[in-house]
Amino acid sequence: MKTILKHYLFTVILIVLGHTTVNAQNKVGGILFDHKNIHIPYAPVLLVNSNDTLSIIYTVTDSVGKFNFKITKSGSYFIRVKTIGFKPYQSQTIQLNTNEDILFEFPAIILADDITIMKEVTIVSKRPLFTQKTDRLIFNVENSIASQGGDAIDALKNTPLLKVDENKVAMIGKSSLNVMINGKPVALSGEALIAYLGTISNDHISKIEIITTPPAKYAAEGNAGLINIILKKNPNLGFNGMLNLAATQRSRFSSRSSATLNYQTEKFSLTSNLLYSHNKITAYEKDENIFANGFVSNNRQDKNVLSKDFAPSINFNYRLNPKIDASLIYEYNGSDFTSADQSKNLFYTNTQLTNQLFNEGYGTINGDFHRLHAYITGQLDTMGKSVDLGFQWLDNEINNERSNQINNNDIRSATRNLSLNNYRLGVSNLDFNLPFKRSTLQTGARYAFLDNNSDVRFFDMVNDMPTLNPALTNIFNYKEHIFSLYLSAEMKLATKWAIQGGLRYENTNYKGKSQAAANEISRRYGNFFPTFYVNYKHSNTADYSFKYSKRVNRPRLEQLNPFQWFINPLQYVEGNPLLMPSFSDNFEFTYANNSNFSATLYHSITKDQISYIAQFLNDGKTQRYSYYNLLNVYQYGVYANYTFNKIKHLESQLSGGYYWQKTKSKDATLVPSTKGTGANLSINNSLKFGSNDLVQLNYMHNFPAFNGTMHTNAYGFLTLAYRRNFLAKQLSIGLTASSIISKGNEISYSQVNNSANLNGSNEYDYQSVRLNLTYKLGNNKVKGNRQKNAAEEANRIK
């Protein structure tokens, strides 16, 4: 491993040094004024070599009109300035010698007003709704009617390939989804992520990148998609913020409140977020297991759930100089979850009731989550070469407790389960981005370590006193180290073709030690993960692309932990420390019409997929849930997205997917080989009235679907929403009603199992009405318009 690291660092140093000039440098500076001696900020300035007018160095004046250049080549140079509202300017020629390390300061440059009188002209420039890049699809949020005036959640609801509800954000065809803001990962998930995204105004979002096949730069973990929310640069200098209040009525009342405060100057920015949610739901789960010998079990659990989250965060960024940015992010999430439930288990033999069990359970989960993320970004030259150095530290402590009061055929007893799970994660990374004239290289290294300690204790309650049960008590220690290297290259071939290829190497070493087991589980393996992309631009509106990637799905901690966690005396979950990682190969072919349509054909092969299997013990009376590397999965599918925006103020988005799946079982005694299909369809309609009113009618339908060992029956969700803006769009009030469309207002399913037919259903308060208020504070007007257009102006004067 040390040899690999030495060769890697030596290669990176050669690449950087080979393309970075180390000669002595002349420095050229100056300042721009208008005729009233007022500084001209964010104006493009060019330094031109008079002997080679194609050799141009470009910069932009700062907030007080100053500019400067560094010269690495001797010669004669002149300054050229052309910006909107002023007459063009060109300086006298000066002679510069790079052997002399000096600073040449131009006299103050005063630009004359352009007094040309023109008739009023209205120019409408509209970017396409979608833009297809080599490895990602870009959704230009500013072009979507449905996304205007809302928050990031509203934008994601109208983003192709995504499914968004009150609990999570998911990507069609992917088992999980990771979210980034400006290329930096967001550690939150579930409702905490939804609440955080609700604090980001659409006015601050430039675009959303949808990455269905992440390139080699990103960790190869999981069959995961990736979205990157790109915020506008310097959108609000000064102070601004946002307050959000949401009240939701299901069977019981829930609320969520959040606040975001920002302060920003040209060099410094500070963003703080505060979230508090108080969420209540009433739910039930039920299942029926039918055995060939006539034995039947009927099980139902009704529960009232309360979850509370307190999640503050702070993001500090400082520009040390024009080439170096430093950032520090701290996030905390304190969560409290309680569940009061009653379950009933009835057992029949040849239709005769033979046994019944009633259980009253009460469970709590308390979590303390801390994450610190620090990184530095440095510019290596004026061509855009950069280096990122980052470090993350994550500490999560989870206390889990559950008590059961049991009535088994009028025989009463009680138990108590306690679990303390504490894991620490550290990640350090070094990344280089090296653009050249015809290609771009990305390379980097990453090291991650995970240290987990779990202490599970089980007590039998005797005369209201807890008595430790050693057979069900366990301590499990787990350590994991992952070292990664990657190299990725993108190249444009002619005007229509572009290719990108990457290779990532990950070396994994983990050890698991259980107090209840005499031996230590140890694994060490190294794997290469290639990625490959080809993009063909057929026309200005049509792109074709092919993507390939290899991925790994490592077992999660709860899947490895060999403890038994009892839902009730006859149902428990047990981890499997012998689990191995599963690997998948993913192929995609995409057509994108940059105006409003995209479609993807895909194929995936997953070997040794980790499956969650129910086993029936004690003649079917006891249900044991555990994890196994049971299935090889082969899947073919297609998903597409179409946006209709031909009618003014109306936008309709239709998206859907279909797949066929075949599984091959590695142990037919547990689960047979199977095959089946699945499909989903959604339509989102947004109608804008004037500048302040928006009505949305959305419907999502899941057709009967087969996935692995689970078959889910059809169901749909219907949502009607209305939003109105007040006070020059500072205040927004929204009302949303959602309802499930299914038999019994529940989701029903069946699971394939060789020993029994399992049929189940659940209802998690799927119907709701939500009132949402958002108020914007401080300065919400974009001050960076000149800076935003500087590069475009520079292109016009070259």
Side-chain angles (χ1 to χ4, degrees):
M1 182 56 61
K2 291 182 179 179
T3 302
I4 294 175
L5 180 58
K6 287 180 180 179
H7 283 292
Y8 168 75
L9 293 176
F10 179 72
T11 303
V12 170
I13 291 171
L14 286 180
I15 292 174
V16 175
L17 292 182
H19 295 87
T20 303
T21 303
V22 294
N23 295 336
Q25 296 178 337
N26 276 121
K27 296 180 181 179
V28 177
I31 188 168
L32 295 186
F33 292 97
D34 64 13
H35 73 285
K36 296 180 180 180
N37 270 348
I38 298 175
H39 304 287
I40 303 177
Y42 314 127
V45 182
L46 301 184
L47 184 65
V48 184
N49 189 323
S50 58
N51 297 322
D52 180 8
T53 56
L54 295 179
S55 178
I56 297 174
I57 305 175
Y58 158 76
T59 191
V60 177
T61 59
D62 62 15
S63 59
V64 293
K66 291 184 178 181
F67 64 87
N68 61 77
F69 299 95
K70 290 183 179 180
I71 310 302
T72 59
K73 182 180 178 181
S74 299
S76 58
Y77 292 85
F78 61 86
I79 294 289
R80 179 184 293 169
V81 182
K82 184 177 181 182
T83 187
I84 296 174
F86 300 94
K87 291 183 177 180
Y89 169 85
Q90 183 167 313
S91 72
Q92 297 293 323
T93 300
I94 61 172
Q95 192 69 32
L96 297 174
N97 186 350
T98 56
N99 294 323
E100 302 173 2
D101 194 0
I102 62 173
L103 170 64
F104 181 88
E105 192 77 23
F106 268 94
I109 298 173
I110 300 176
L111 300 184
D113 288 340
D114 187 352
I115 59 174
T116 303
I117 299 175
M118 298 179 62
K119 294 182 178 180
E120 181 178 349
V121 177
T122 302
I123 300 175
V124 179
S125 177
K126 196 173 183 181
R127 287 189 298 173
L129 197 60
F130 307 132
T131 304
Q132 179 67 50
K133 297 296 184 182
T134 309
D135 59 359
R136 64 198 64 193
L137 181 67
I138 297 175
F139 173 47
N140 295 307
V141 174
E142 294 174 309
N143 246 20
S144 171
I145 292 176
S147 301
Q148 294 174 8
D151 54 36
I153 294 299
D154 296 305
L156 293 177
K157 286 180 178 178
N158 296 283
T159 300
L161 310 181
L162 298 187
K163 296 189 295 183
V164 182
D165 57 34
E166 292 184 359
N167 300 311
K168 66 178 181 179
V169 183
M171 182 177 287
I172 296 174
K174 300 296 178 180
S175 58
S176 60
L177 177 68
N178 298 319
V179 178
M180 299 191 300
I181 304 291
N182 286 340
K184 301 298 184 289
V186 178
L188 303 175
S189 61
E191 265 201 53
L193 174 63
I194 293 292
Y196 170 70
L197 294 174
T199 66
I200 301 175
S201 171
N202 271 344
D203 296 336
H204 297 170
I205 300 176
S206 171
K207 58 188 176 183
I208 298 175
E209 298 178 340
I210 308 104
I211 308 172
T212 58
T213 306
K217 177 180 179 178
Y218 302 102
E221 175 68 31
N223 181 26
L226 190 66
I227 58 172
N228 186 22
I229 301 174
I230 306 296
L231 303 181
K232 297 175 182 176
K233 293 186 180 295
N234 293 332
N236 304 101
L237 299 181
F239 169 80
N240 66 86
M242 180 185 295
L243 300 176
N244 182 271
L245 299 174
T248 303
Q249 182 64 52
R250 301 185 187 92
S251 298
R252 298 191 294 168
F253 180 78
S254 299
S255 64
R256 185 177 72 205
S257 56
S258 62
T260 300
L261 298 177
N262 304 298
Y263 179 74
Q264 186 160 300
T265 67
E266 293 296 333
K267 289 190 173 182
F268 169 84
S269 69
L270 182 67
T271 300
S272 60
N273 293 286
L274 180 64
L275 160 72
Y276 178 75
S277 67
H278 190 273
N279 192 29
K280 295 181 179 180
I281 64 169
T282 299
Y284 68 78
E285 299 172 346
K286 59 184 180 180
D287 63 74
E288 180 183 54
N289 307 306
I290 303 173
F291 295 79
N293 60 6
F295 180 78
V296 176
S297 68
N298 281 311
N299 312 297
R300 178 179 173 121
Q301 182 184 66
D302 294 87
K303 52 188 175 183
N304 291 312
V305 174
L306 168 63
S307 60
K308 294 185 289 184
D309 284 276
F310 174 69
S313 67
I314 188 166
N315 185 332
F316 171 86
N317 180 270
Y318 183 71
R319 176 173 292 180
L320 300 175
N321 57 52
K323 290 189 174 183
I324 300 178
D325 281 319
S327 294
L328 184 67
I329 301 171
Y330 171 73
E331 296 171 341
Y332 172 77
N333 188 7
S335 60
D336 292 294
F337 174 90
T338 60
S339 175
D341 53 76
Q342 301 83 37
S343 61
K344 178 172 64 175
N345 302 77
L346 303 178
F347 304 95
Y348 300 87
T349 301
N350 297 323
T351 70
Q352 296 296 316
L353 180 64
T354 56
N355 189 26
Q356 54 184 347
L357 179 143
F358 300 93
N359 183 78
E360 291 188 7
Y362 183 79
T364 63
I365 303 175
N366 300 313
D368 279 295
F369 172 91
H370 301 265
R371 174 177 175 259
L372 185 67
H373 186 184
Y375 58 91
I376 295 177
T377 300
Q379 300 297 322
L380 299 177
D381 63 10
T382 58
M383 298 292 294
K385 296 183 180 67
S386 63
V387 57
D388 286 293
L389 178 64
F391 177 76
Q392 293 185 63
W393 174 259
L394 187 150
D395 189 295
N396 196 12
E397 183 176 294
I398 303 172
N399 287 282
N400 199 342
E401 180 177 346
R402 181 169 178 83
S403 300
N404 290 309
Q405 301 290 330
I406 307 156
N407 180 348
N408 190 357
N409 290 324
D410 293 327
I411 300 175
R412 299 181 183 275
S413 60
T415 63
R416 188 182 180 195
N417 241 160
L418 298 177
S419 169
L420 173 61
N421 190 37
N422 184 212
Y423 68 86
R424 298 177 178 89
L425 173 68
V427 180
S428 57
N429 63 278
L430 177 66
D431 298 286
F432 291 90
N433 185 48
L434 307 171
F436 303 114
K437 187 174 182 180
R438 296 182 178 272
S439 63
T440 298
L441 292 180
Q442 290 185 325
T443 185
R446 182 178 186 265
Y447 171 69
F449 73 88
L450 174 67
D451 186 358
N452 175 71
N453 295 286
S454 297
D455 187 350
V456 179
R457 299 172 185 266
F458 186 89
F459 298 88
D460 294 305
M461 304 299 291
V462 180
N463 297 324
D464 294 328
M465 294 295 295
T467 301
L468 184 68
N469 186 333
L472 298 176
T473 297
N474 191 25
I475 296 176
F476 183 68
N477 298 319
Y478 178 84
K479 297 181 185 296
E480 181 180 81
H481 301 264
I482 302 176
F483 176 75
S484 309
L485 294 171
Y486 74 89
L487 177 65
S488 178
E490 181 176 5
M491 180 179 296
K492 291 186 177 180
L493 306 177
T495 58
K496 294 190 175 184
W497 290 91
I499 61 171
Q500 179 179 329
L503 185 64
R504 186 179 186 90
Y505 174 78
E506 295 189 354
N507 183 276
T508 304
N509 180 19
Y510 72 80
K511 294 181 181 180
K513 174 64 177 177
S514 172
Q515 185 186 59
N519 62 321
E520 181 180 75
I521 302 298
S522 179
R523 298 278 189 273
R524 180 188 290 272
Y525 54 92
N527 302 96
F528 288 96
F529 298 94
T531 57
F532 181 69
Y533 311 84
V534 178
N535 188 75
Y536 173 66
K537 189 174 183 60
H538 180 263
S539 66
N540 290 332
T541 59
D543 284 88
Y544 299 88
S545 62
F546 171 79
K547 309 179 186 74
Y548 165 77
S549 70
K550 186 178 181 67
R551 310 285 293 176
V552 60
N553 185 28
R554 298 182 181 89
R556 301 192 306 271
L557 291 177
E558 65 269 23
Q559 296 173 336
L560 291 167
N561 246 342
F563 61 78
Q564 296 177 352
W565 187 260
F566 283 82
I567 304 168
N568 61 53
L570 299 180
Q571 291 180 311
Y572 67 92
V573 181
E574 183 176 11
N576 179 5
L578 299 179
L579 281 177
M580 297 292 290
S582 64
F583 296 89
S584 62
D585 293 277
N586 303 281
F587 306 84
E588 294 185 5
F589 178 78
T590 300
Y591 166 77
N593 178 313
N594 290 341
S595 299
N596 54 10
F597 178 75
S598 68
T600 297
L601 295 170
Y602 69 91
H603 172 50
S604 65
I605 304 171
T606 303
K607 298 294 182 68
D608 300 321
Q609 177 174 286
I610 299 172
S611 302
Y612 186 57
I613 300 296
Q615 294 175 274
F616 299 94
L617 312 174
N618 191 23
D619 296 327
K621 295 180 181 179
T622 302
Q623 293 183 36
R624 173 183 181 269
Y625 298 91
S626 192
Y627 306 89
Y628 298 92
N629 295 106
L630 273 181
L631 301 175
N632 291 338
V633 181
Y634 307 86
Q635 184 164 305
Y636 298 86
V638 58
Y639 48 80
N641 183 87
Y642 173 73
T643 300
F644 176 80
N645 53 5
K646 304 298 183 183
I647 300 176
K648 190 175 182 180
H649 304 310
L650 174 66
E651 183 174 290
S652 296
Q653 184 184 96
L654 179 66
S655 61
Y658 173 85
Y659 68 84
W660 177 84
Q661 185 184 93
K662 176 182 178 181
T663 69
K664 185 176 181 180
S665 175
K666 301 178 68 175
D667 187 347
T669 62
L670 288 176
V671 61
S673 299
T674 56
K675 59 183 178 180
T677 62
N680 62 80
L681 183 68
S682 65
I683 182 168
N684 298 336
N685 302 284
S686 300
L687 181 61
K688 193 174 182 181
F689 296 92
S691 60
N692 293 314
D693 296 86
L694 182 71
V695 176
Q696 292 181 304
L697 179 62
N698 303 332
Y699 180 70
M700 183 274 294
H701 188 81
N702 283 283
F703 295 92
F706 176 84
N707 188 11
T709 63
M710 190 72 67
H711 181 273
T712 305
N713 293 335
Y715 64 93
F717 282 101
L718 180 67
T719 302
L720 176 63
Y722 171 72
R723 185 174 72 231
R724 180 173 177 80
N725 297 320
F726 300 89
L727 304 177
K729 298 187 178 181
Q730 279 190 289
L731 175 65
S732 176
I733 300 178
L735 185 65
T736 304
S738 299
S739 178
I740 189 173
I741 309 296
S742 68
K743 183 179 180 181
N745 294 330
E746 61 185 20
I747 297 176
S748 57
Y749 58 88
S750 60
Q751 187 172 22
V752 177
N753 194 293
N754 277 340
S755 56
N757 292 325
L758 187 153
N759 300 290
S761 60
N762 62 63
E763 203 281 330
Y764 275 86
D765 257 359
Y766 294 119
Q767 296 177 322
S768 66
V769 176
R770 176 163 55 95
L771 177 66
N772 190 83
L773 287 84
T774 301
Y775 183 72
K776 298 177 182 178
L777 305 168
N779 170 37
N780 285 286
K781 294 183 179 180
V782 177
K783 289 188 176 181
N785 290 333
R786 294 197 59 81
Q787 188 175 18
K788 179 180 177 182
N789 297 321
E792 296 168 354
E793 294 180 13
N795 287 333
R796 289 197 293 270
I797 64 176
K798 286 184 180 180

